[in-house]
Amino acid sequence: MNRRKFINLTALTAPLLSFSKVTESIPAVKPIMISTWEEGKNVNKAAWGILSEKGRAIDAIEAGAIYVEDKISCCVGLGGNPDRDGFVTLDACIMDENANCGAVAGLERIKHPLSVARKVMETTPHVLLVGDGALKFALQNGFTIENKELSIDAKKEYEKWLKKSTYKPVINIENLPVQVENKDGAFTMPLKFDDGSFNHDTMGMIAMDVSGNVSGGVTTSGMAFKMHGRVGDSAVIGAGLFVDNEVGAATSSGVGEEVIRTCGTHTVVEFMRRGYSPETACKKTIERIIKNNKARAKTLQVGFVAVNKKGAYGAYAVQEGFVYAVKTKQVDRIFKSAFFYKAPKSED
Ligand code: SD4
């Protein structure tokens, strides 16, 4: 079978496949708000006022981000874990129903990076501003500079990490997606810290408003103890977030390098365009990540959550443990994502 025939056949069979899974959501009534992780439930609540008052999806996204970035104890925003040099550097992006998008990366000492990303989208001809340039832009636009002290939790985590870890840049960094050194000298993103807490901290959000318009946003302090200057998927449109108002949207959490390598959320949306359901589209993208990482797929985590234009939603992750929160008029709860590998048993 030649390639074209195969693609055509896949496109024809895709709609059939998409209804074969019992884990798929039943299409919800608009509006819908979806956010990653347990904290997503509170984020959805913070955004719901706008959606229920017939407001725009993009405003709901910003409201959700502001809520979570304000929570100093949470890992998103300035309360998050620093990079290995001790700086909290923030990544965020936003995308609306007209394919407008904006992002910031490596932004320091600004409380609301997603709002800065929105300003980039709305007031500049650019998509992504980084580091000092992003900071300068934020200050020019009325954002105020915050204290550079780490939050109490982040300081504790960082001090603990410093005891065991040495600064040791990896030479073949392009072959090693993450820079957290574990006790065997290997560089992987730990699924769990020593105290049992999970290494996840990214708030990915998707909103569909009553008009059916879809927007999304991501805000994060990024991978804990990353190299200074490292940018993750959360600032990269098509990786950590993608919206196509004709099809739907997807967002991600986990090892950003793997998401970037697969143009993760763009790939998910393209699978949905071909007729696959949100969960299956996420699964097929995760399968690519696993295929690209045969040797270490078991030690990395990536999760995608997606919603299609009909309001059906679903998720899929490399590992068990990824969860996402959904709010509609009927639903307000956290869902466990489908996954490829069962969670490894903890050694202790
Ligand atoms: C990153 N994707 O910086 C982020 C990390 C993450 O939950 O999602 N943590 O690579």
Side-chain angles (χ1 to χ4, degrees), residues 274-338:
R274 284 160 56 176
Y276 289 101
S277 67
E279 183 184 311
T280 308
C282 294
K283 180 168 187 258
K284 290 180 88 60
T285 309
I286 289 291
E287 282 168 352
R288 278 196 197 173
I289 290 175
I290 292 170
K291 201 173 107 200
N292 291 343
N293 287 284
K294 282 200 187 81
R296 50 198 168 83
K298 281 188 182 164
T299 63
L300 63 87
Q301 173 65 310
V302 172
F304 293 112
V305 56
V307 62
N308 70 17
K309 199 61 186 169
K310 290 184 200 148
Y313 48 86
Y316 201 86
V318 179
Q319 316 282 341
E320 183 176 14
F322 179 49
V323 299
Y324 63 101
V326 177
K327 187 158 174 61
T328 67
K329 275 184 210 140
Q330 297 82 22
V331 177
D332 184 11
R333 54 169 282 208
I334 294 165
F335 288 90
K336 286 185 178 173
S337 166

Short mmCIF file of all heavy atoms in Angstrom, two decimals, residues 274-338:
data_model
loop_
_atom_site.label_atom_id
_atom_site.label_comp_id
_atom_site.label_asym_id
_atom_site.label_seq_id
_atom_site.Cartn_x
_atom_site.Cartn_y
_atom_site.Cartn_z
N ARG A 274 -8.15 14.85 11.61
CA ARG A 274 -8.37 13.66 10.77
C ARG A 274 -9.52 12.81 11.29
O ARG A 274 -9.81 11.75 10.74
CB ARG A 274 -7.08 12.84 10.71
CG ARG A 274 -6.05 13.48 9.78
CD ARG A 274 -4.65 13.01 10.04
NE ARG A 274 -4.52 11.57 9.96
CZ ARG A 274 -3.37 10.91 10.09
NH1 ARG A 274 -2.26 11.57 10.30
NH2 ARG A 274 -3.33 9.61 10.01
N GLY A 275 -10.15 13.22 12.38
CA GLY A 275 -11.33 12.52 12.85
C GLY A 275 -11.16 11.72 14.11
O GLY A 275 -12.12 11.15 14.62
N TYR A 276 -9.95 11.66 14.63
CA TYR A 276 -9.75 10.91 15.87
C TYR A 276 -10.34 11.69 17.04
O TYR A 276 -10.33 12.92 17.06
CB TYR A 276 -8.26 10.67 16.12
CG TYR A 276 -7.67 9.66 15.17
CD1 TYR A 276 -6.93 10.08 14.07
CD2 TYR A 276 -7.86 8.30 15.36
CE1 TYR A 276 -6.39 9.16 13.19
CE2 TYR A 276 -7.32 7.38 14.47
CZ TYR A 276 -6.60 7.81 13.39
OH TYR A 276 -6.07 6.91 12.51
N SER A 277 -10.80 10.94 18.01
CA SER A 277 -11.34 11.56 19.22
C SER A 277 -10.19 12.19 20.01
O SER A 277 -9.03 11.83 19.79
CB SER A 277 -12.01 10.50 20.08
OG SER A 277 -11.02 9.61 20.55
N PRO A 278 -10.50 13.07 20.97
CA PRO A 278 -9.42 13.71 21.74
C PRO A 278 -8.50 12.69 22.42
O PRO A 278 -7.27 12.80 22.32
CB PRO A 278 -10.17 14.56 22.76
CG PRO A 278 -11.45 14.91 22.06
CD PRO A 278 -11.82 13.69 21.25
N GLU A 279 -9.07 11.70 23.07
CA GLU A 279 -8.20 10.74 23.77
C GLU A 279 -7.31 9.97 22.78
O GLU A 279 -6.12 9.78 23.01
CB GLU A 279 -9.02 9.75 24.60
CG GLU A 279 -8.10 8.82 25.38
CD GLU A 279 -8.83 7.74 26.17
OE1 GLU A 279 -9.77 8.08 26.90
OE2 GLU A 279 -8.45 6.57 26.04
N THR A 280 -7.90 9.53 21.70
CA THR A 280 -7.11 8.76 20.73
C THR A 280 -6.03 9.63 20.08
O THR A 280 -4.91 9.18 19.84
CB THR A 280 -8.04 8.15 19.66
OG1 THR A 280 -9.07 7.46 20.35
CG2 THR A 280 -7.29 7.18 18.76
N ALA A 281 -6.38 10.89 19.83
CA ALA A 281 -5.38 11.82 19.26
C ALA A 281 -4.21 12.00 20.23
O ALA A 281 -3.05 12.00 19.82
CB ALA A 281 -6.04 13.16 18.95
N CYS A 282 -4.53 12.12 21.53
CA CYS A 282 -3.47 12.25 22.54
C CYS A 282 -2.66 10.96 22.58
O CYS A 282 -1.43 10.98 22.65
CB CYS A 282 -4.07 12.51 23.93
SG CYS A 282 -4.89 14.11 24.08
N LYS A 283 -3.35 9.82 22.52
CA LYS A 283 -2.67 8.51 22.60
C LYS A 283 -1.70 8.34 21.44
O LYS A 283 -0.56 7.92 21.62
CB LYS A 283 -3.74 7.42 22.59
CG LYS A 283 -3.19 6.01 22.67
CD LYS A 283 -4.32 5.03 22.95
CE LYS A 283 -3.78 3.66 23.21
NZ LYS A 283 -3.91 2.74 22.11
N LYS A 284 -2.14 8.68 20.26
CA LYS A 284 -1.28 8.48 19.09
C LYS A 284 -0.03 9.36 19.17
O LYS A 284 1.04 8.97 18.72
CB LYS A 284 -2.08 8.76 17.81
CG LYS A 284 -3.14 7.69 17.55
CD LYS A 284 -3.93 7.95 16.30
CE LYS A 284 -3.29 7.36 15.06
NZ LYS A 284 -3.14 5.90 15.11
N THR A 285 -0.18 10.53 19.75
CA THR A 285 0.98 11.42 19.91
C THR A 285 1.92 10.87 20.99
O THR A 285 3.15 10.87 20.83
CB THR A 285 0.51 12.84 20.23
OG1 THR A 285 -0.48 13.21 19.26
CG2 THR A 285 1.65 13.84 20.19
N ILE A 286 1.34 10.39 22.09
CA ILE A 286 2.16 9.78 23.15
C ILE A 286 2.91 8.56 22.60
O ILE A 286 4.08 8.33 22.92
CB ILE A 286 1.27 9.39 24.36
CG1 ILE A 286 0.78 10.63 25.10
CG2 ILE A 286 1.99 8.41 25.30
CD1 ILE A 286 1.82 11.41 25.84
N GLU A 287 2.25 7.79 21.75
CA GLU A 287 2.92 6.61 21.17
C GLU A 287 4.15 7.01 20.36
O GLU A 287 5.14 6.29 20.32
CB GLU A 287 1.93 5.81 20.32
CG GLU A 287 1.01 4.98 21.20
CD GLU A 287 -0.18 4.38 20.45
OE1 GLU A 287 -0.39 4.72 19.26
OE2 GLU A 287 -0.90 3.60 21.07
N ARG A 288 4.08 8.16 19.72
CA ARG A 288 5.26 8.64 18.98
C ARG A 288 6.39 8.96 19.94
O ARG A 288 7.56 8.67 19.67
CB ARG A 288 4.92 9.92 18.21
CG ARG A 288 4.25 9.63 16.94
CD ARG A 288 4.29 10.86 16.06
NE ARG A 288 3.30 10.69 15.02
CZ ARG A 288 2.98 11.61 14.15
NH1 ARG A 288 3.55 12.80 14.20
NH2 ARG A 288 2.08 11.39 13.22
N ILE A 289 6.04 9.57 21.06
CA ILE A 289 7.07 9.92 22.05
C ILE A 289 7.70 8.64 22.59
O ILE A 289 8.92 8.55 22.72
CB ILE A 289 6.46 10.78 23.18
CG1 ILE A 289 6.10 12.16 22.62
CG2 ILE A 289 7.41 10.89 24.37
CD1 ILE A 289 5.38 13.08 23.58
N ILE A 290 6.89 7.65 22.85
CA ILE A 290 7.42 6.39 23.37
C ILE A 290 8.32 5.72 22.33
O ILE A 290 9.40 5.23 22.64
CB ILE A 290 6.27 5.47 23.82
CG1 ILE A 290 5.58 6.08 25.05
CG2 ILE A 290 6.75 4.05 24.11
CD1 ILE A 290 4.29 5.42 25.47
N LYS A 291 7.87 5.76 21.09
CA LYS A 291 8.65 5.15 20.02
C LYS A 291 10.03 5.83 19.87
O LYS A 291 11.03 5.19 19.64
CB LYS A 291 7.87 5.27 18.71
CG LYS A 291 8.32 4.28 17.65
CD LYS A 291 7.41 4.31 16.45
CE LYS A 291 8.14 5.00 15.32
NZ LYS A 291 7.32 5.52 14.28
N ASN A 292 10.04 7.15 20.06
CA ASN A 292 11.30 7.89 19.94
C ASN A 292 12.21 7.69 21.14
O ASN A 292 13.34 8.17 21.15
CB ASN A 292 11.02 9.40 19.83
CG ASN A 292 10.36 9.75 18.52
OD1 ASN A 292 10.37 8.96 17.60
ND2 ASN A 292 9.74 10.91 18.46
N ASN A 293 11.70 7.09 22.19
CA ASN A 293 12.44 7.01 23.44
C ASN A 293 12.40 5.61 24.03
O ASN A 293 12.19 5.45 25.23
CB ASN A 293 11.80 7.95 24.48
CG ASN A 293 12.10 9.39 24.18
OD1 ASN A 293 13.19 9.86 24.41
ND2 ASN A 293 11.11 10.07 23.63
N LYS A 294 12.60 4.62 23.19
CA LYS A 294 12.42 3.25 23.65
C LYS A 294 13.16 2.96 24.96
O LYS A 294 12.61 2.37 25.88
CB LYS A 294 12.89 2.28 22.57
CG LYS A 294 11.86 2.13 21.48
CD LYS A 294 12.06 0.86 20.67
CE LYS A 294 11.11 0.86 19.50
NZ LYS A 294 11.58 1.67 18.35
N ALA A 295 14.41 3.42 25.05
CA ALA A 295 15.23 3.06 26.22
C ALA A 295 14.77 3.73 27.50
O ALA A 295 14.94 3.19 28.58
CB ALA A 295 16.68 3.41 25.94
N ARG A 296 14.19 4.92 27.38
CA ARG A 296 13.90 5.62 28.63
C ARG A 296 12.45 6.08 28.78
O ARG A 296 12.14 6.88 29.65
CB ARG A 296 14.87 6.78 28.85
CG ARG A 296 15.01 7.68 27.68
CD ARG A 296 16.25 8.55 27.75
NE ARG A 296 16.42 9.16 26.45
CZ ARG A 296 15.79 10.26 26.07
NH1 ARG A 296 14.99 10.87 26.88
NH2 ARG A 296 15.98 10.74 24.86
N ALA A 297 11.60 5.53 27.93
CA ALA A 297 10.20 5.96 28.00
C ALA A 297 9.61 5.72 29.39
O ALA A 297 8.79 6.51 29.87
CB ALA A 297 9.38 5.23 26.95
N LYS A 298 10.07 4.67 30.05
CA LYS A 298 9.49 4.35 31.36
C LYS A 298 9.85 5.36 32.43
O LYS A 298 9.26 5.36 33.50
CB LYS A 298 9.95 2.96 31.80
CG LYS A 298 9.17 1.86 31.13
CD LYS A 298 9.48 0.52 31.70
CE LYS A 298 8.68 -0.52 30.92
NZ LYS A 298 9.16 -1.86 31.13
N THR A 299 10.86 6.17 32.17
CA THR A 299 11.27 7.12 33.21
C THR A 299 10.86 8.56 32.89
O THR A 299 11.29 9.48 33.55
CB THR A 299 12.80 7.09 33.42
OG1 THR A 299 13.43 7.50 32.21
CG2 THR A 299 13.28 5.71 33.83
N LEU A 300 10.10 8.73 31.85
CA LEU A 300 9.68 10.11 31.58
C LEU A 300 8.16 10.21 31.56
O LEU A 300 7.46 9.22 31.36
CB LEU A 300 10.29 10.64 30.28
CG LEU A 300 9.96 10.00 28.95
CD1 LEU A 300 8.70 10.59 28.34
CD2 LEU A 300 11.11 10.18 27.99
N GLN A 301 7.71 11.41 31.81
CA GLN A 301 6.26 11.62 31.79
C GLN A 301 5.90 12.75 30.84
O GLN A 301 6.53 13.82 30.84
CB GLN A 301 5.76 11.95 33.22
CG GLN A 301 4.29 12.35 33.31
CD GLN A 301 3.30 11.25 32.94
OE1 GLN A 301 3.43 10.61 31.90
NE2 GLN A 301 2.30 11.04 33.78
N VAL A 302 4.92 12.48 30.02
CA VAL A 302 4.27 13.52 29.22
C VAL A 302 2.79 13.19 29.22
O VAL A 302 2.41 12.02 29.05
CB VAL A 302 4.78 13.55 27.75
CG1 VAL A 302 3.94 14.51 26.91
CG2 VAL A 302 6.24 13.96 27.68
N GLY A 303 1.97 14.18 29.43
CA GLY A 303 0.53 13.99 29.32
C GLY A 303 -0.07 15.06 28.42
O GLY A 303 0.37 16.22 28.45
N PHE A 304 -1.02 14.65 27.60
CA PHE A 304 -1.76 15.61 26.77
C PHE A 304 -3.23 15.55 27.16
O PHE A 304 -3.76 14.46 27.43
CB PHE A 304 -1.68 15.25 25.28
CG PHE A 304 -0.31 15.38 24.68
CD1 PHE A 304 0.39 14.26 24.27
CD2 PHE A 304 0.27 16.63 24.50
CE1 PHE A 304 1.66 14.37 23.72
CE2 PHE A 304 1.53 16.75 23.93
CZ PHE A 304 2.23 15.62 23.55
N VAL A 305 -3.87 16.70 27.15
CA VAL A 305 -5.33 16.73 27.28
C VAL A 305 -5.85 17.57 26.12
O VAL A 305 -5.22 18.54 25.70
CB VAL A 305 -5.77 17.27 28.67
CG1 VAL A 305 -5.21 18.63 28.98
CG2 VAL A 305 -7.31 17.27 28.80
N ALA A 306 -6.98 17.14 25.56
CA ALA A 306 -7.48 17.81 24.36
C ALA A 306 -9.01 17.90 24.40
O ALA A 306 -9.68 17.10 25.06
CB ALA A 306 -7.05 17.03 23.11
N VAL A 307 -9.50 18.89 23.68
CA VAL A 307 -10.96 19.02 23.52
C VAL A 307 -11.23 19.28 22.04
O VAL A 307 -10.44 19.95 21.37
CB VAL A 307 -11.52 20.15 24.43
CG1 VAL A 307 -10.94 21.51 24.08
CG2 VAL A 307 -13.04 20.21 24.39
N ASN A 308 -12.29 18.67 21.53
CA ASN A 308 -12.60 18.96 20.13
C ASN A 308 -13.76 19.95 20.03
O ASN A 308 -14.33 20.36 21.04
CB ASN A 308 -12.84 17.67 19.32
CG ASN A 308 -14.14 16.96 19.70
OD1 ASN A 308 -15.03 17.55 20.32
ND2 ASN A 308 -14.26 15.70 19.31
N LYS A 309 -14.06 20.32 18.84
CA LYS A 309 -15.02 21.39 18.59
C LYS A 309 -16.43 21.03 19.06
O LYS A 309 -17.26 21.89 19.36
CB LYS A 309 -14.99 21.67 17.09
CG LYS A 309 -15.53 22.97 16.64
CD LYS A 309 -14.83 24.20 17.18
CE LYS A 309 -15.60 25.43 16.73
NZ LYS A 309 -15.20 26.65 17.37
N LYS A 310 -16.69 19.70 19.14
CA LYS A 310 -18.01 19.28 19.64
C LYS A 310 -18.08 19.31 21.15
O LYS A 310 -19.12 19.04 21.74
CB LYS A 310 -18.29 17.85 19.17
CG LYS A 310 -18.52 17.72 17.69
CD LYS A 310 -18.87 16.27 17.41
CE LYS A 310 -18.65 15.94 15.95
NZ LYS A 310 -18.24 14.55 15.75
N GLY A 311 -16.95 19.56 21.79
CA GLY A 311 -16.94 19.59 23.25
C GLY A 311 -16.56 18.27 23.88
O GLY A 311 -16.63 18.12 25.10
N ALA A 312 -16.15 17.29 23.09
CA ALA A 312 -15.66 16.04 23.67
C ALA A 312 -14.23 16.27 24.14
O ALA A 312 -13.48 17.02 23.50
CB ALA A 312 -15.70 14.93 22.63
N TYR A 313 -13.86 15.67 25.24
CA TYR A 313 -12.50 15.85 25.76
C TYR A 313 -11.91 14.50 26.16
O TYR A 313 -12.64 13.53 26.38
CB TYR A 313 -12.49 16.81 26.95
CG TYR A 313 -13.53 16.52 28.00
CD1 TYR A 313 -13.29 15.60 29.02
CD2 TYR A 313 -14.78 17.14 27.95
CE1 TYR A 313 -14.26 15.33 29.97
CE2 TYR A 313 -15.76 16.86 28.89
CZ TYR A 313 -15.49 15.96 29.90
OH TYR A 313 -16.45 15.67 30.82
N GLY A 314 -10.60 14.47 26.26
CA GLY A 314 -9.92 13.24 26.66
C GLY A 314 -8.44 13.50 26.84
O GLY A 314 -7.94 14.57 26.46
N ALA A 315 -7.75 12.54 27.44
CA ALA A 315 -6.33 12.73 27.73
C ALA A 315 -5.60 11.40 27.63
O ALA A 315 -6.21 10.33 27.72
CB ALA A 315 -6.15 13.32 29.12
N TYR A 316 -4.29 11.50 27.47
CA TYR A 316 -3.47 10.30 27.46
C TYR A 316 -2.07 10.71 27.90
O TYR A 316 -1.59 11.79 27.55
CB TYR A 316 -3.43 9.67 26.06
CG TYR A 316 -3.04 8.21 26.10
CD1 TYR A 316 -4.01 7.22 26.30
CD2 TYR A 316 -1.71 7.82 25.96
CE1 TYR A 316 -3.64 5.88 26.35
CE2 TYR A 316 -1.35 6.49 26.02
CZ TYR A 316 -2.32 5.52 26.20
OH TYR A 316 -1.97 4.20 26.26
N ALA A 317 -1.42 9.83 28.69
CA ALA A 317 -0.09 10.14 29.22
C ALA A 317 0.82 8.93 29.07
O ALA A 317 0.36 7.80 28.92
CB ALA A 317 -0.20 10.53 30.69
N VAL A 318 2.13 9.19 29.14
CA VAL A 318 3.08 8.08 29.11
C VAL A 318 2.88 7.23 30.36
O VAL A 318 2.78 6.02 30.31
CB VAL A 318 4.54 8.59 29.03
CG1 VAL A 318 5.51 7.41 29.04
CG2 VAL A 318 4.77 9.44 27.80
N GLN A 319 2.82 7.89 31.50
CA GLN A 319 2.71 7.19 32.79
C GLN A 319 1.36 7.43 33.42
O GLN A 319 0.77 8.49 33.28
CB GLN A 319 3.74 7.74 33.79
CG GLN A 319 5.11 7.96 33.26
CD GLN A 319 5.90 6.69 33.14
OE1 GLN A 319 5.55 5.68 33.76
NE2 GLN A 319 6.94 6.71 32.34
N GLU A 320 0.98 6.46 34.22
CA GLU A 320 -0.18 6.65 35.08
C GLU A 320 0.09 7.84 36.01
O GLU A 320 1.23 8.06 36.41
CB GLU A 320 -0.36 5.39 35.94
CG GLU A 320 -1.57 5.43 36.83
CD GLU A 320 -1.75 4.11 37.60
OE1 GLU A 320 -0.79 3.29 37.64
OE2 GLU A 320 -2.84 3.91 38.14
N GLY A 321 -0.94 8.59 36.35
CA GLY A 321 -0.76 9.66 37.33
C GLY A 321 -1.15 11.03 36.81
O GLY A 321 -1.40 11.94 37.59
N PHE A 322 -1.20 11.19 35.49
CA PHE A 322 -1.61 12.49 34.94
C PHE A 322 -3.12 12.66 35.15
O PHE A 322 -3.88 11.73 34.87
CB PHE A 322 -1.27 12.54 33.45
CG PHE A 322 -1.65 13.83 32.76
CD1 PHE A 322 -1.31 15.06 33.30
CD2 PHE A 322 -2.36 13.81 31.57
CE1 PHE A 322 -1.65 16.25 32.67
CE2 PHE A 322 -2.72 14.98 30.92
CZ PHE A 322 -2.36 16.21 31.48
N VAL A 323 -3.51 13.80 35.68
CA VAL A 323 -4.94 14.07 35.87
C VAL A 323 -5.27 15.46 35.33
O VAL A 323 -4.38 16.30 35.17
CB VAL A 323 -5.36 13.98 37.37
CG1 VAL A 323 -5.11 12.59 37.92
CG2 VAL A 323 -4.66 15.03 38.22
N TYR A 324 -6.54 15.66 35.05
CA TYR A 324 -6.98 16.96 34.55
C TYR A 324 -8.38 17.25 35.07
O TYR A 324 -9.14 16.32 35.39
CB TYR A 324 -6.94 17.00 33.02
CG TYR A 324 -7.87 16.01 32.34
CD1 TYR A 324 -9.09 16.41 31.80
CD2 TYR A 324 -7.54 14.65 32.26
CE1 TYR A 324 -9.94 15.50 31.19
CE2 TYR A 324 -8.38 13.74 31.66
CZ TYR A 324 -9.58 14.17 31.13
OH TYR A 324 -10.43 13.27 30.53
N ALA A 325 -8.70 18.53 35.17
CA ALA A 325 -9.99 18.93 35.73
C ALA A 325 -10.87 19.51 34.63
O ALA A 325 -10.39 20.22 33.75
CB ALA A 325 -9.76 19.97 36.82
N VAL A 326 -12.15 19.17 34.71
CA VAL A 326 -13.11 19.65 33.71
C VAL A 326 -14.25 20.35 34.42
O VAL A 326 -14.76 19.86 35.44
CB VAL A 326 -13.69 18.46 32.91
CG1 VAL A 326 -14.75 18.94 31.90
CG2 VAL A 326 -12.58 17.71 32.17
N LYS A 327 -14.65 21.49 33.89
CA LYS A 327 -15.86 22.14 34.39
C LYS A 327 -16.77 22.51 33.23
O LYS A 327 -16.35 23.12 32.26
CB LYS A 327 -15.49 23.40 35.20
CG LYS A 327 -16.69 24.02 35.89
CD LYS A 327 -16.29 24.88 37.07
CE LYS A 327 -17.49 25.60 37.67
NZ LYS A 327 -18.54 24.71 38.17
N THR A 328 -18.01 22.03 33.37
CA THR A 328 -19.08 22.45 32.46
C THR A 328 -20.28 22.74 33.37
O THR A 328 -20.14 22.70 34.59
CB THR A 328 -19.47 21.32 31.47
OG1 THR A 328 -20.08 20.26 32.21
CG2 THR A 328 -18.28 20.80 30.69
N LYS A 329 -21.45 22.96 32.77
CA LYS A 329 -22.63 23.19 33.62
C LYS A 329 -22.95 21.92 34.41
O LYS A 329 -23.48 21.96 35.51
CB LYS A 329 -23.82 23.60 32.77
CG LYS A 329 -23.81 25.10 32.52
CD LYS A 329 -25.06 25.52 31.74
CE LYS A 329 -24.74 26.73 30.90
NZ LYS A 329 -25.33 26.71 29.58
N GLN A 330 -22.65 20.76 33.82
CA GLN A 330 -23.00 19.48 34.47
C GLN A 330 -21.85 18.84 35.23
O GLN A 330 -22.07 18.02 36.12
CB GLN A 330 -23.47 18.45 33.43
CG GLN A 330 -24.72 18.80 32.66
CD GLN A 330 -24.43 19.75 31.49
OE1 GLN A 330 -23.31 19.83 31.00
NE2 GLN A 330 -25.45 20.48 31.07
N VAL A 331 -20.63 19.13 34.83
CA VAL A 331 -19.47 18.39 35.35
C VAL A 331 -18.54 19.35 36.08
O VAL A 331 -18.33 20.47 35.62
CB VAL A 331 -18.68 17.76 34.17
CG1 VAL A 331 -17.44 17.04 34.64
CG2 VAL A 331 -19.57 16.84 33.36
N ASP A 332 -18.02 18.92 37.22
CA ASP A 332 -17.00 19.72 37.89
C ASP A 332 -16.12 18.74 38.66
O ASP A 332 -16.32 18.50 39.85
CB ASP A 332 -17.66 20.73 38.85
CG ASP A 332 -16.61 21.64 39.50
OD1 ASP A 332 -15.45 21.62 39.05
OD2 ASP A 332 -16.96 22.35 40.45
N ARG A 333 -15.17 18.14 37.97
CA ARG A 333 -14.40 17.11 38.65
C ARG A 333 -13.04 16.88 37.99
O ARG A 333 -12.76 17.40 36.91
CB ARG A 333 -15.18 15.80 38.67
CG ARG A 333 -15.64 15.32 37.32
CD ARG A 333 -16.15 13.91 37.38
NE ARG A 333 -15.04 12.97 37.43
CZ ARG A 333 -15.10 11.73 36.97
NH1 ARG A 333 -16.22 11.26 36.45
NH2 ARG A 333 -14.05 10.95 37.02
N ILE A 334 -12.26 16.07 38.69
CA ILE A 334 -10.94 15.71 38.19
C ILE A 334 -11.02 14.33 37.54
O ILE A 334 -11.62 13.41 38.11
CB ILE A 334 -9.92 15.72 39.35
CG1 ILE A 334 -9.76 17.14 39.88
CG2 ILE A 334 -8.57 15.15 38.92
CD1 ILE A 334 -9.08 17.24 41.22
N PHE A 335 -10.45 14.20 36.36
CA PHE A 335 -10.43 12.92 35.65
C PHE A 335 -9.01 12.37 35.64
O PHE A 335 -8.05 13.13 35.50
CB PHE A 335 -10.86 13.10 34.19
CG PHE A 335 -12.32 13.36 34.02
CD1 PHE A 335 -12.80 14.67 34.01
CD2 PHE A 335 -13.22 12.31 33.86
CE1 PHE A 335 -14.16 14.93 33.86
CE2 PHE A 335 -14.58 12.56 33.69
CZ PHE A 335 -15.04 13.87 33.69
N LYS A 336 -8.90 11.04 35.76
CA LYS A 336 -7.61 10.40 35.56
C LYS A 336 -7.40 10.23 34.07
O LYS A 336 -8.30 9.74 33.37
CB LYS A 336 -7.60 9.03 36.21
CG LYS A 336 -7.53 9.08 37.71
CD LYS A 336 -7.41 7.68 38.26
CE LYS A 336 -7.29 7.76 39.75
NZ LYS A 336 -7.32 6.47 40.40
N SER A 337 -6.22 10.56 33.61
CA SER A 337 -5.92 10.35 32.19
C SER A 337 -5.69 8.87 31.91
O SER A 337 -5.19 8.14 32.77
CB SER A 337 -4.64 11.13 31.88
OG SER A 337 -4.12 10.74 30.64
N ALA A 338 -6.02 8.45 30.73
CA ALA A 338 -5.58 7.12 30.27
C ALA A 338 -4.05 7.18 30.13
O ALA A 338 -3.47 8.26 30.01
CB ALA A 338 -6.22 6.81 28.93
#
